[in-house]
């Protein structure tokens, strides 16, 4: 990997949800970084902590969740140490997020114009007609037809794909340096998915925005991202470049994700689903949490938590058997 300085760096981040039965450790000590102009994929099964990681970076973790430890550095500024007002000034301007469901993320009783111009007037010097003109231009950029007319419509008057385009336009309205995209193509048909992803890639390349793409779809990661982090049970278990992950995964979980995913270059191979169920994150034990589902587990896996360590340049994994030839 390049020695270029990181634009966003996460260090030992912990986010927990106190419950009556115990504490759910949704994000349990993750560390990663994103460089300027990079698109980083975060992959894993539902419930592994991907979305909570994005919300933690934005400091939007829903109650009763709270960030209990770690640092989120935007260059040299620790976002977790900022006052609420300071964080509001950064959220939407320097760092923005596209949420999973645009229908619930957009305010149903406000026009698109009102919602877009609010962000623009808050974070830029544009006001009134200038802000509205900027909003119209953004809608045109993301492919909304007749944006001068549609900007006065309400969210329910748009299709799912069009609402997602509006969300992208809003996220990019102040030219953020970091864009967190949380499952941006959920519930969209394949054709619209491709259009949305191509649009994100094009627009972000034009303005130099870095992207953290949260998804469970390895095909999307293969087509868009340069680097990838694989999450399991609140932890990162493997980090490498995308080509290396597909060619030579070093963690059993990553390997099983790949064998359970259809691939055009392996059409004759039978898919092999991952056995068992993801573990509960309610006070997890001090062991490798993938061990109950792993056919390669040894005694040590049930007694210790493997650390994320570099096994070769630019490739890190958290597995006691990462150097064994297991597959």
């Amino acid at each position: 990997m390049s020695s270029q300085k990181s634009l966003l760096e996460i260090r030992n981040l912990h986010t927990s949800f106190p419950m009556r039965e115990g504490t759910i450790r949704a994000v349990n000590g993750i560390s990663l970084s994103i460089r300027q102009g990079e698109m980083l994929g975060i992959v894993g099964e539902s419930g592994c902590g991907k979305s909570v990681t994005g919300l933690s970076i934005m400091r939007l973790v829903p109650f009763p969740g709270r960030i209990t430890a770690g640092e989120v550095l935007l260059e040299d500024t620790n976002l977790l140490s900022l006052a609420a007002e300071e964080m509001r000034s950064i959220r939407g301007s320097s760092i923005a997020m596209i949420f999973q469901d645009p229908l619930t993320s957009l305010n149903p009783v406000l026009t698109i114009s009102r919602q877009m111009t609010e962000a623009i007037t808050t974070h830029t010097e544009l006001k009134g007609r200038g802000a509205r003109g900027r909003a119209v231009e953004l809608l045109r950029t993301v492919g909304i037809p007749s944006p001068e007319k549609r900007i006065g419509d309400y969210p329910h008057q748009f299709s799912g794909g069009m609402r997602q385009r509006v969300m992208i336009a809003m996220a990019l309205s102040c030219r953020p340096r970091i864009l967190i995209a949380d499952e941006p193509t959920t519930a969209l048909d394949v054709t619209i998915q491709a259009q949305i992803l191509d649009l994100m890639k094009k627009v972000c390349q034009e303005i130099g925005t870095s992207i953290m793409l949260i998804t469970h779809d390895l095909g999307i990661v293969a087509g868009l991202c340069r680097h990838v982090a694989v999450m399991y049970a609140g932890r990162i278990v493997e980090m490498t470049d995308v080509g290396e992950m597909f060619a030579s995964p070093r963690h059993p979980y990553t390997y099983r994700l790949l064998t359970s995913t259809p691939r055009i270059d392996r059409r004759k191979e039978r898919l092999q689903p991952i056995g068992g169920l993801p573990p509960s994150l309610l006070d997890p034990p001090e062991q490798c949490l993938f061990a109950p589902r792993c056919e390669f587990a040894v005694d040590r896996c049930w007694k210790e938590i493997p650390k994320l360590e570099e096994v070769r340049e630019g490739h890190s994994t958290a597995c006691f058997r990462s150097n064994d030839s297991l597959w």
Side-chain angles (χ1 to χ4, degrees), residues 13-40:
L13 180 65
H14 291 255
T15 301
S16 300
F17 290 80
M19 309 295 286
R20 184 175 301 173
E21 301 82 5
T23 300
I24 295 176
R25 305 186 189 283
V27 176
N28 199 354
I30 72 166
S31 299
L32 55 83
S33 62
I34 306 176
R35 293 183 287 273
Q36 180 70 45
E38 178 183 9
M39 188 176 286
L40 171 71

Side-chain angles (χ1 to χ4, degrees), residues 39-64:
M39 188 176 286
L40 171 71
I42 308 289
V43 302
E45 293 170 286
S46 297
C48 72
K50 306 185 302 295
S51 295
V52 177
T53 298
L55 292 171
S56 299
I57 295 170
M58 298 292 291
R59 283 180 54 182
L60 292 174
V61 179
F63 181 82

Side-chain angles (χ1 to χ4, degrees), residues 6 12 49 78 139 145 150 233 249 251 264-265 293:
S6 297
N12 196 32
N78 183 9
L139 291 180
R150 298 305 309 273
H251 194 281
I264 196 169
D265 59 337
R293 308 172 73 186

Side-chain angles (χ1 to χ4, degrees), residues 31-32 40-43 227-232 235-241 244-246 248-258 308-309 311 314-319 322 327:
S31 299
L32 55 83
L40 171 71
I42 308 289
V43 302
H227 297 111
V228 61
V230 181
M231 285 192 69
Y232 185 77
R235 298 177 180 271
I236 292 177
V237 296
E238 188 157 12
M239 281 198 302
T240 184
D241 66 69
E244 179 80 2
M245 180 190 74
F246 280 92
S248 182
R250 303 298 289 272
H251 194 281
Y253 177 62
T254 309
Y255 170 64
R256 280 301 173 214
L257 280 181
L258 294 172
L308 187 69
E309 297 178 332
V311 292
H315 192 160
S316 299
T317 188
C319 179
S322 60
W327 51 80

Side-chain angles (χ1 to χ4, degrees), residues 100-121:
Q100 285 190 35
D101 186 353
L103 185 58
T104 57
S105 301
L106 293 167
N107 192 320
V109 300
L110 297 179
T111 64
I112 298 302
S113 173
R114 174 76 178 275
Q115 296 183 63
M116 291 193 67
T117 56
E118 181 179 2
I120 294 170
T121 56

Side-chain angles (χ1 to χ4, degrees), residues 124-146:
T124 74
E125 297 180 356
L126 294 173
K127 309 295 178 185
R129 291 184 178 179
R132 184 181 174 88
R134 168 75 172 153
V136 169
E137 187 56 39
L138 283 164
L139 291 180
R140 181 177 290 109
T141 299
V142 298
I144 301 292
S146 304

